[in-house]
Amino acid sequence: MSQVPSPTNHSISTLDQFPLLGYPEFSQGLQSHIRILRLLGNGFLMLGFLLITSAVVYDCLHQPF
């Protein structure tokens, strides 16, 4: 006679592995989207920093002495 694991033990272990709603597909998809958004955010921060730095350097180089 085979023993079927209880659904409560299975859902608890799934929730431990994937804390977001217990759905592995949802959790992994959301993590990849968060990773992409974080990379985009860092890219925009770097772009803004480079633009400000280049504007300051350009202004300093082109001021009359």
Side-chain angles (χ1 to χ4, degrees):
M1 198 161 127
S2 65
Q3 187 177 13
V4 177
S6 68
T8 55
N9 288 340
H10 179 66
S11 66
I12 289 173
S13 65
T14 304
L15 284 174
D16 288 341
Q17 291 175 352
F18 303 101
L20 295 173
L21 299 178
Y23 297 108
E25 297 86 8
F26 177 77
S27 178
Q28 289 172 350
L30 188 65
Q31 287 173 1
S32 68
H33 282 95
I34 290 173
R35 189 176 304 126
I36 290 170
L37 289 174
R38 191 175 292 155
L39 285 173
L40 279 173
N42 288 337
F44 280 122
L45 284 175
M46 291 289 286
L47 181 63
F49 179 74
L50 286 174
L51 286 173
I52 291 171
T53 305
S54 62
V56 169
V57 169
Y58 180 82
D59 191 41
C60 287
L61 291 176
H62 288 88
Q63 282 185 354
F65 291 110

